[in-house]
Amino acid sequence: MNQASFPAVRMRRGRSSAWMRAMLAEHRLHPSDLILPLFVCAGEGCEEPIPSLPGVSRWTVDRIGAQAKAAAALGIPCVALFPNTPTAQRSERAEEALNRDNLICRAVKAVKEACPDIGILTDVALDPYTAHGHDGLVDDRGCVLNDDTVAVLVEQALVQAEAGADIVAPSDMMDGRVGAIRAGLERAGHCDTAIMAYAAKYASAFYGPFREAVGSRGLLKGDKRGYQMDPANAAEAMREVALDVAEGADMVMVKPGLPYLDIVAAVRRDFSLPVFAYQVSGEYAMIEHAVAAGAGERDALILETLLAFKRAGATGVLTYHALDAARLIHG
């Protein structure tokens, strides 16, 4: 296509004023693009700051509802709940994951009671419940057992759906788990419970603060490279997404976020369902520590990184900056 050149075309004309820049902006952030992760801890009347996640805390069940209400008041449509399971309740086979009165189930009910109109996403994986820190059951050699784990994940998803979760999000990266969970939900009458599959979840170095937040740091025996994806691979991510879509995922996720914007863009290009990105704990912590070191302006860094997700094609973003971002968007 032939185009005019300088001086007939001066690209700076489109940047000449605030109103012009606003009118021509190709992508915009809105609070409805955001999902707020919240950490739940045992006890009562407590807030536990997380040292490696400055500004983020764990909340007891009796206080989690207020956090969800604060998010809803800013236009954030959904919260994602993650438990810090007490050490005494962790086990080799993660039995606490199937306890209908566990932290997550009680937190789901508390959020529903406090704020009925906000969506609730729950994590389907065993690492918050295992004594060894893996996302699944392990054999005597320390190998994560795929099919045995999937059977437990189905029951875990059903427990969460019965408690009132609107979206169950399998983050374990076991093969076949989306189809098994979808079938289990249908059999149990939870046909309206959505599945957001962690379809492209990488074995990343950016998860450290999260593991502290859910209490699994120091527990992990070995690593997760046998089931989470190799950061070197992109085509493999497309295969993973295709499988999860074929098995009945309603939405898919790429995790981590900023280091994998190419994957977000590729999934948006090749698939027609919603794609979310998780701005993970290490990404959040890098921004906070950069600000503390005087290396950047916090508000601008928050909005620029979130806008990058939208530009890459993300439908929405899970981010610990959700409350701050929503306030900034509202002005």
Side-chain angles (χ1 to χ4, degrees), residues 58-70:
R58 306 181 195 94
W59 303 90
T60 49
V61 169
D62 59 307
R63 300 188 65 180
I64 202 74
Q67 304 308 307
K69 288 180 71 173

Side-chain angles (χ1 to χ4, degrees), residues 34-316:
L34 308 174
I35 295 175
L36 174 66
L38 291 171
F39 296 105
V40 189
C41 61
E44 187 174 344
C46 294
E47 173 188 356
E48 296 178 355
I50 302 167
S52 59
L53 282 172
V56 178
S57 296
R58 306 181 195 94
W59 303 90
T60 49
V61 169
D62 59 307
R63 300 188 65 180
I64 202 74
Q67 304 308 307
K69 288 180 71 173
L74 290 166
I76 295 169
C78 184
V79 295
L81 302 179
F82 299 93
N84 183 309
T85 304
T87 302
Q89 294 173 352
R90 290 172 174 267
S91 63
E92 292 298 310
R93 298 193 63 81
E95 287 88 352
E96 182 65 12
L98 308 186
N99 177 4
R100 286 173 167 76
D101 194 40
N102 64 22
L103 274 176
I104 281 299
C105 292
R106 286 185 281 125
V108 168
K109 293 172 184 176
V111 169
K112 283 295 182 186
E113 182 176 350
C115 192
D117 293 331
I118 201 166
I120 301 176
L121 180 152
T122 52
D123 178 54
V124 180
L126 301 186
D127 53 320
Y129 306 96
T130 54
H132 46 69
H134 277 290
D135 293 41
L137 306 179
V138 299
D139 62 16
D140 293 339
R141 299 170 299 155
C143 179
V144 175
L145 302 169
N146 191 93
D147 296 5
D148 290 355
T149 296
V150 168
V152 179
L153 296 174
V154 172
E155 295 305 312
Q156 182 185 20
L158 288 174
V159 165
Q160 294 174 353
E162 289 166 7
D166 301 293
I167 305 172
V168 292
S171 66
D172 56 286
M173 291 300 287
M174 297 298 115
D175 292 330
R177 89 279 202 212
V178 171
I181 290 170
R182 181 77 273 163
L185 291 170
E186 293 293 321
R187 285 194 302 269
H190 296 295
C191 55
D192 292 329
T193 303
I195 297 176
M196 181 188 292
Y198 285 63
K201 181 178 180 181
Y202 286 84
S204 172
F206 285 88
Y207 301 148
F210 178 90
R211 289 174 182 166
E212 178 188 356
V214 299
S216 62
R217 174 176 281 180
L219 296 179
L220 184 63
K221 297 177 175 62
D223 57 52
K224 301 189 178 186
R225 290 180 293 178
Y227 46 100
Q228 294 179 356
M229 287 184 55
D230 186 339
N233 295 352
E236 182 184 2
M238 299 300 103
R239 295 180 65 195
E240 288 280 12
V241 172
L243 287 166
D244 286 355
V245 171
E247 291 177 21
D250 301 285
M251 299 158 264
V252 295
M253 186 196 297
V254 175
K255 181 182 180 183
L258 284 176
Y260 298 90
L261 288 182
D262 61 320
I263 307 301
V264 174
V267 174
R268 165 56 67 207
R269 181 193 66 227
D270 291 352
F271 297 91
S272 59
L273 80 173
V275 53
F276 287 77
Y278 199 142
Q279 187 181 39
V280 298
S281 59
E283 298 173 62
Y284 171 92
M286 284 198 305
I287 291 175
E288 293 299 320
H289 289 301
V291 171
E297 197 275 312
R298 187 173 185 270
D299 293 352
L301 288 170
I302 290 171
L303 292 180
E304 185 174 339
T305 52
L306 292 175
L307 189 60
F309 289 111
K310 293 293 291 182
R311 193 180 65 246
T315 306

